[in-house]
Amino acid sequence: GVYSEIVPCETDLGVPTDYKGVILSGGPHSVLDSDSPEVSKEIFELGVPILGLCYGHQLIAKMLGGSIARGDICEYGSARLSVVRPNELLEGLGEDERIWMSHGDTVISLPEGFEVFGSTDNCINAAVGDPRRKVFGLQFHPEVTDTPNGMKILDNFLNMCGCRRQWNAEAFFREIRDQIIRTCAGRKVFLLVSGGVDSAVAFSLLNEALGADRVLGLHIDNGLMRLGESEEIMSYMKEHGFSNLHVIDAGERFLERLERVADPEEKRKIIGATFLEAKEQALRERGLKGDEWLLGQGTIYPDTIESAGTKHADRIKTHHNRVDVVLELIEQGLVVEPLAQLYKDEVRTLGETLGLPRTLLWRHPFPGPGLGVRVLCSDGAEEPVERTVVRDVADRASVAGYESTVLPVRSVGVQGDGRTYAHPALLLGPRDWPVLERLSTELTNSVAGINRVVYGLDVSGSTEYELVEAYLTGERLDKLRLVDHLVTNALRETGEYEAIWQMPVVLLPLVNKDGGECVVLRPIRSQEAMTVRFVPLSQFALDSIIRGVREIEGVGDIFLDITHKPPGTIEWE
């Protein structure tokens, strides 16, 4: 409920400052590196409360005389915080709290005047501070859903800052509406509408602010959509009054551009650039003058962060709305992004304020590049796995009663706020979800070269998988569409669809002993998309899915992704 601004760490806040308090965020760097980002020491003379999170916590310790070291054990995911000394920041918390970690470095000695408020098994200085100066540091992330009482901690910090709670979705709507009107200044907006919640809310906002006669929505069927999805989107949007939305079929163009492309970053960039090609063609065909139009996008804040869109963020993956061509348009002032400062949960709240129906706001998110990032590709070149990695995984898995292997394919992950591109471990054994969750966290925290863990739901017997040459083709896309459609129907039938935030289904360029391509199910729950937890499906749903998938020709073994974020991103690419 408090208005806040996100500014680069080099920003001169001035003395005295109009800010009531300062939060130093997390980030992918190590404070031990000579070129790591810092803030001016004058920030500690502002006389306002300061809170450091993760990297910010380490930075405070370093700048005020403490010491940091690279941790023997990295922590990615869930941990338990023991509150050893109650204080203003942790007021209202219990003695034992679930928190969310993502770090490699650790604060090993504190600056003068600092005390320890909370510790984990692997991190003594997990919550620290100097109550006199009101400077605090947390090694964990209170801002994410997976720290259940994190909002209470932030609430306590805001109380220390003396902030008034006057900021809400309606206030934001008024401000962003006025900002849209100023930005557009008599020009019209051309928005690519995918049908997901972000583009739907952005489209609604632009219509509200500018009027339907100054907004043109275009849904581009890129050939990478789910089964029947483009038709469903158009029907749904027009039912709810969006008559200024049109569709074009560009499937052949996208597949031509993506032919024999295997690298995930290259695929994303090609898809983003081809969207803009299709947009330019649509403008020409309608006789619309390009200089009269701005490009509208439903970009949200995680898209910007993960695409290295801020100075000190790491490139986890290039979102299709952050390719070079789009960045050039942004530099020229030709792009309007009304949601660019919001997270997914805030977008949904704004959508409710705009009166959009729940069925639209809560449908499962679908990535802009569509199935293009869910059909993994390979040029057939070997993806060698180090023997030590295989051995370390096997040793840890066997202690818990599981067989294991490491799959010869790689996926994108996020560890310590930085990008990883590493192998998944496959576990076989009892379907004991709590044990599997603990083992998944242990493997990704302890074994270098592993950023994701999958469980074998339906395995043909042998775990010898062959990485094959495979690209984006109509045949592979149709195969994944059938599996995805079957999975969605199964979740609706069991009533689990709304309990799951998103359900990516991934086709791997790995074949089993029978020559079938393996698939991965990734049921997850999230709120703001910066962290996610995997969700175990019911036995009934899993059995239904397995039976159905077995009937689809060319599909091999079925895996369930049991990795949280971090260390595994939502999508595999």
Side-chain angles (χ1 to χ4, degrees):
V2 172
Y3 174 77
S4 61
E5 293 181 355
I6 301 170
V7 299
C9 61
E10 298 86 358
T11 302
D12 181 6
L13 299 183
V15 182
T17 179
D18 289 332
Y19 293 105
K20 293 279 193 178
V22 177
I23 295 176
L24 304 180
S25 77
H29 298 269
S30 167
V31 298
L32 300 173
D33 295 339
S34 58
D35 59 348
S36 60
E38 293 191 347
V39 294
S40 168
K41 274 201 170 182
E42 291 179 351
I43 201 169
F44 300 104
E45 299 168 10
L46 295 176
V48 300
I50 296 173
L51 174 62
L53 308 180
C54 197
Y55 179 89
H57 156 70
Q58 297 163 8
L59 181 61
I60 287 173
K62 175 188 173 185
M63 294 184 70
L64 295 183
S67 59
I68 293 86
R70 302 200 189 278
D72 295 329
I73 299 177
C74 301
E75 289 184 293
Y76 307 115
S78 192
R80 306 297 306 191
L81 178 76
S82 296
V83 178
V84 297
R85 183 174 301 179
N87 59 88
E88 275 187 282
L89 186 66
L90 303 183
E91 186 178 343
L93 271 65
E95 294 180 358
D96 180 72
E97 292 284 345
R98 179 158 64 86
I99 59 171
W100 201 255
M101 288 283 205
S102 182
H103 72 105
D105 295 349
T106 302
V107 175
I108 56 173
S109 69
L110 297 176
E112 186 178 344
F114 275 66
E115 307 169 11
V116 177
F117 303 143
S119 306
T120 71
D121 289 343
N122 297 316
C123 181
I124 294 173
N125 299 314
V128 304
D130 179 342
R132 183 182 61 83
R133 285 189 285 177
K134 294 193 184 300
V135 179
F136 304 92
L138 303 176
Q139 182 56 76
F140 58 93
H141 288 275
E143 74 275 17
V144 302
T145 313
D146 292 295
T147 300
N149 276 324
M151 286 299 136
K152 178 61 180 171
I153 296 172
L154 294 179
D155 198 52
N156 291 338
F157 180 71
L158 293 176
N159 287 338
M160 282 187 259
C161 295
C163 294
R164 290 177 294 175
R165 313 307 172 92
Q166 297 178 327
W167 191 246
N168 54 37
E170 288 190 9
F172 174 78
F173 167 64
R174 288 193 299 271
E175 177 170 298
I176 202 62
R177 180 187 57 197
D178 294 343
Q179 184 181 325
I180 289 170
I181 293 169
R182 289 194 303 271
T183 301
C184 295
R187 288 182 288 186
K188 301 176 183 179
V189 178
F190 186 100
L191 182 80
L192 299 177
V193 180
S194 69
V197 60
D198 301 333
S199 64
V201 171
F203 192 45
S204 180
L205 258 176
L206 290 166
N207 275 278
E208 182 80 20
L210 302 175
D213 59 326
R214 289 179 59 194
V215 180
L216 175 62
L218 183 71
H219 173 71
I220 297 175
D221 184 349
N222 56 12
L224 307 173
M225 305 297 286
R226 291 178 287 202
L227 193 64
E229 184 153 34
S230 289
E231 296 85 351
E232 185 181 311
I233 288 167
M234 289 301 296
S235 172
Y236 191 89
M237 296 294 278
K238 289 196 172 181
E239 275 178 26
H240 289 83
F242 295 106
S243 58
N244 55 337
L245 177 63
H246 306 276
V247 64
I248 62 171
D249 184 354
E252 286 186 14
R253 176 185 298 189
F254 277 83
L255 283 181
E256 284 174 7
R257 300 286 192 279
L258 292 162
E259 188 176 6
R260 301 190 66 79
V261 177
D263 181 76
E265 274 291 278
E266 190 179 351
K267 279 201 295 183
R268 283 180 170 271
K269 290 176 181 178
I270 289 171
I271 291 168
T274 309
F275 267 124
L276 293 184
E277 280 182 29
K279 165 240 175 186
E280 291 297 329
Q281 181 181 336
L283 283 174
R284 288 195 302 270
E285 288 175 352
R286 286 164 173 76
L288 305 176
K289 295 179 181 178
D291 57 358
E292 293 180 359
W293 293 80
L294 297 175
L295 172 65
Q297 295 197 135
T299 309
I300 63 174
Y301 197 59
D303 298 347
T304 304
I305 290 295
E306 293 185 339
S307 300
T310 60
K311 182 176 179 181
H312 300 295
D314 199 20
R315 187 180 304 280
I316 309 302
K317 57 191 176 186
T318 299
H319 286 259
H320 71 287
N321 48 27
R322 278 295 177 270
V323 297
D324 290 343
V325 180
V326 173
L327 294 177
E328 288 172 14
L329 293 173
I330 292 172
E331 285 290 319
Q332 297 167 28
L334 299 176
V335 178
V336 56
E337 297 179 316
L339 311 178
Q341 293 295 318
L342 299 187
Y343 290 88
K344 185 73 74 174
D345 54 332
E346 295 172 312
V347 173
R348 286 191 164 120
T349 300
L350 186 57
E352 289 170 352
T353 302
L354 288 163
L356 292 175
R358 178 179 175 83
T359 47
L360 177 60
L361 295 175
W362 290 94
R363 69 191 293 265
H364 285 186
F366 189 58
L371 299 182
V373 293
R374 293 184 179 174
V375 174
L376 268 63
C377 301
S378 170
D379 59 9
E382 233 182 302
E383 293 273 6
V385 182
E386 293 183 20
R387 290 182 181 179
T388 54
V389 173
V390 176
R391 186 185 64 238
D392 288 351
V393 169
D395 288 347
R396 292 175 185 277
S398 63
V399 170
Y402 288 84
E403 297 178 39
S404 69
T405 189
V406 179
L407 298 176
V409 68
R410 291 190 291 173
S411 73
V412 175
V414 55
Q415 292 172 288
D417 294 341
R419 182 187 197 267
T420 58
Y421 194 49
H423 296 280
L426 167 64
L427 300 177
L428 300 172
R431 204 177 285 179
D432 186 328
W433 301 121
V435 172
L436 286 165
E437 180 181 15
R438 287 196 297 273
L439 185 54
S440 173
T441 300
E442 179 186 345
L443 290 173
T444 51
N445 282 356
S446 306
V447 182
I450 296 293
N451 65 358
R452 200 178 290 271
V453 179
V454 300
Y455 172 70
L457 278 179
D458 188 45
V459 175
S460 55
S462 169
T463 55
E464 294 290 324
Y465 297 99
E466 181 186 357
L467 182 71
V468 295
E469 186 175 7
Y471 300 102
L472 266 175
T473 62
E475 181 184 356
R476 294 188 78 213
L477 285 163
D478 286 342
K479 190 186 297 183
L480 183 56
R481 282 190 187 99
L482 290 174
V483 178
D484 178 88
H485 187 64
L486 185 152
V487 169
T488 300
N489 285 344
L491 295 180
R492 292 192 188 280
E493 287 171 8
T494 62
E496 293 170 71
Y497 183 85
E498 287 208 4
I500 293 167
W501 183 76
Q502 193 174 165
M503 181 66 173
V505 181
V506 181
L507 183 68
L508 302 181
L510 292 181
V511 298
N512 65 3
K513 65 180 181 63
D514 300 320
E517 288 189 291
C518 300
V519 296
V520 182
L521 313 180
R522 180 141 173 75
I524 52 174
R525 184 175 293 133
S526 182
Q527 185 168 322
E528 73 299 288
M530 292 302 284
T531 63
V532 304
R533 300 183 69 83
F534 92 86
V535 182
L537 301 179
S538 70
Q539 182 75 34
F540 186 80
L542 290 174
D543 289 345
S544 173
I545 290 168
I546 291 168
R547 282 195 306 271
V549 172
R550 281 177 182 164
E551 299 298 316
I552 299 175
E553 187 177 351
V555 178
D557 295 357
I558 307 169
F559 309 136
L560 184 77
D561 192 334
I562 56 172
T563 321
H564 299 316
K565 176 188 178 184
T569 47
I570 294 172
E571 304 291 346
W572 277 50
E573 292 191 340

